[in-house]
Amino acid sequence: MAKPTLESFSHVLSDETVYANTMYAISKIQSSRNPGRDTSDYENAIPSVKSHIAILDLLALLMVKQEGDTVATGLEIDGIKTTIVWCRNHQQTNHSAAEEERDYLRSLLQSFKQADHPEQTLEIAIGWCRKKIMNRIRKFTREYPNVPDITPADPATEEYRQFLIKRGAMDDVPLAAALLIFVDQAKELSSMPHYTAPLQTFKDVVISAFWLTCHKVTPEHLPGFRHDWFRKVQKIGSYYLACGTVHSALRRLDSKSPLHRQNLSIRQAHPPPTREWRVYGDTLKAFNVWTQRHNIAPIINFGAVLARYPSAKAGKEGDGFSGTTTVVASQHCELTVGLDLWYRRVQQQQQQQHKQQQQQQKQQQQQQQKQQTQAPEEIFSTPVEVGCSKASCHYCGLYLDKFNQWCRRNQAGPPIFVRGLHHKNTEGWMMPRVPTDAPDQMKNGFTEAGNSTLEGIGDRIHTMWLEMMNPRRLSDSLSPPPNTDLQLDLEEMATSMKRPNRGGCAAPK
């Protein structure tokens, strides 16, 4: 089976109909490629960059109201002015909900500026995040045994007890007792509706969870306490950790100039509008949009899919006679924040270069060359750091990798760093758009990164096709005859989808 050229992958997937069905099919056949991990850029970053991204991750957590949503954050520092840049995956369309969100962010910002202790910020955060916090508490209490088999015999718990006493965090109790107090509090809270549960009870549980997981001696030192329980307790305590970490970061900024905290502001980065894609609800039909456009053999037996991908889903019948369903596509928030900050950094660098060129006209040629060589290094010496409330999907990681390669190869701007990848194949992942007002060099970068990403997606689906064809070929005698109903009317589907305005980029929008 001849492999189509990479150019044809990019060309075929630039058709929005093929792209939408391909992304949907991949998500149903293989929802996740690999276990979660840190990105290679993050792993190779210097400690200060890692620390900044960890702080931004925690800050993003404080902006998530409920399960299923994702928020990304970044920092823009211009002199003594610091701006928190943020975006969420699911934009608010309800006016009252959007106003409630703005009120919360104003209160959170004011707390960062004025609060003397992170507990004050935690109270504000619980008011917004209580539903998500309650979900985390219930995940722990549902799995934790009613009568825990735990003994305080481990001598390491004495070190933990002394740590708590020194910090004034808890009474003089051993680790096992501290854990049991937390479990009782968590079970009591989980039995209440999240909207009526007392604020103080929420605070007690979150703060107790933090103290149980912030020291090198943790409940995992106790016999019978599993690692997955520890991770759930750690996630509950992460809200207090977030408040304390952001306060500590702002204090460090204050040490450089007290005006940093006073001038702290917040700005929302706006993604392009979402799109509604009409795709075949049946996984095989959606997959075979790609095979038909390449004029190669379709996959006609779902058993061949299951033979290679046992957790694959057959999809759904879809609506009406067409058998199609709707996928809402969006640009993910970490890309929105990262590219927003990247674009502003590059514009700033261009303005600085313009000023330097004017100054260099009055200087000697040797000094002029020295300054021209140093200017890009000064502004691009650090990456664009983006935090996210959860790990990024496989496609975001793929796009950022291609985009960063272009930046480094052409010295065209700073790379964009995020921390972790969960490697899930998201059905509604939308390629970033080319900025309409960008110079040609920037447009070329977005186009190259987009096309390289499409090549990666095309290469992956071709590999999946080969893997699924092999078991089918081994059992040809058992395979049913070809299904003539699999001939797909791509033109009819295309009429229900608004054609993309590529703006010089082959990637679908």
Side-chain angles (χ1 to χ4, degrees), residues 92-103:
Q92 290 285 10
T93 56
N94 181 280
H95 177 74
S96 60
E99 186 60 37
E100 181 185 5
E101 183 174 61
R102 285 191 290 269
D103 288 343

Side-chain angles (χ1 to χ4, degrees), residues 377-427:
E377 295 176 0
E378 290 171 0
I379 193 163
F380 296 147
S381 59
T382 58
V384 171
E385 300 158 347
V386 178
C388 201
S389 59
K390 62 175 65 172
S392 299
C393 74
H394 171 68
Y395 301 122
C396 285
L398 179 62
Y399 182 87
L400 288 176
D401 182 58
K402 303 300 183 184
F403 187 81
N404 290 344
Q405 287 179 23
W406 172 80
C407 288
R408 293 184 176 108
R409 187 168 58 251
N410 296 279
Q411 296 184 349
I416 301 172
F417 284 11
V418 296
R419 180 175 182 176
L421 299 175
H422 57 56
H423 283 298
K424 291 183 179 178
N425 297 316
T426 309
E427 63 181 28

Side-chain angles (χ1 to χ4, degrees), residues 331-490:
Q331 180 174 295
H332 285 190
C333 56
E334 56 266 58
L335 294 183
T336 300
V337 170
L339 292 172
D340 176 284
L341 291 171
W342 180 89
Y343 192 36
R344 287 170 176 262
R345 284 269 297 275
V346 172
Q347 286 181 317
Q348 179 187 357
Q349 186 262 351
Q350 291 175 341
Q351 291 169 1
Q352 288 187 6
Q353 281 187 327
H354 179 69
K355 291 179 181 178
Q356 288 171 350
Q357 287 171 0
Q358 292 177 331
Q359 295 172 356
Q360 289 164 0
Q361 292 174 1
K362 303 176 182 179
Q363 298 173 356
Q364 297 179 352
Q365 183 67 24
Q366 183 178 2
Q367 183 67 16
Q368 176 184 2
Q369 292 175 350
K370 180 181 178 182
Q371 289 188 2
Q372 285 179 333
T373 303
Q374 291 178 346
E377 295 176 0
E378 290 171 0
I379 193 163
F380 296 147
S381 59
T382 58
V384 171
E385 300 158 347
V386 178
C388 201
S389 59
K390 62 175 65 172
S392 299
C393 74
H394 171 68
Y395 301 122
C396 285
L398 179 62
Y399 182 87
L400 288 176
D401 182 58
K402 303 300 183 184
F403 187 81
N404 290 344
Q405 287 179 23
W406 172 80
C407 288
R408 293 184 176 108
R409 187 168 58 251
N410 296 279
Q411 296 184 349
I416 301 172
F417 284 11
V418 296
R419 180 175 182 176
L421 299 175
H422 57 56
H423 283 298
K424 291 183 179 178
N425 297 316
T426 309
E427 63 181 28
W429 188 83
M430 190 166 73
M431 189 74 69
R433 293 187 176 184
V434 179
T436 56
D437 59 341
D440 288 342
Q441 184 190 23
M442 287 189 190
K443 289 181 179 179
N444 292 338
F446 278 81
T447 301
E448 183 177 323
N451 286 337
S452 296
T453 302
L454 291 181
E455 290 167 5
I457 295 171
D459 192 56
R460 178 59 198 151
I461 195 170
H462 181 261
T463 301
M464 294 173 74
W465 174 72
L466 288 174
E467 292 171 341
M468 292 185 291
M469 287 296 288
N470 285 335
R472 189 173 77 80
R473 293 174 65 199
L474 292 173
S475 57
D476 277 341
S477 59
L478 301 177
S479 299
N483 186 350
T484 56
D485 292 338
L486 284 174
Q487 286 296 320
L488 310 178
D489 190 349
L490 300 186

Side-chain angles (χ1 to χ4, degrees), residues 16-33:
E16 191 176 46
T17 304
V18 181
Y19 178 84
N21 279 278
T22 297
M23 301 298 274
Y24 175 81
I26 292 176
S27 72
K28 297 300 180 185
I29 294 172
Q30 189 181 30
S31 62
S32 181
R33 292 189 60 182

Side-chain angles (χ1 to χ4, degrees), residues 8 44 51 83 93 98 119 122 136 156 158 166 173 198 206 208 242 254 274 284 317 357 370 383 393 469 488:
S8 70
N44 297 323
S51 175
T83 303
T93 56
E119 282 194 33
L122 178 62
R136 291 188 170 191
E158 176 61 25
K166 184 177 180 181
V173 294
V206 170
S208 295
D254 274 350
T274 58
L284 283 186
E317 294 182 0
Q357 287 171 0
K370 180 181 178 182
C393 74
M469 287 296 288
L488 310 178

Side-chain angles (χ1 to χ4, degrees), residues 216-237:
K216 64 181 180 181
V217 179
T218 71
E220 287 187 287
H221 284 79
L222 299 173
F225 196 88
R226 301 194 323 234
H227 177 70
D228 59 316
W229 294 342
F230 169 76
R231 287 288 296 126
K232 288 180 172 60
V233 177
Q234 193 176 45
K235 286 186 175 183
I236 298 168

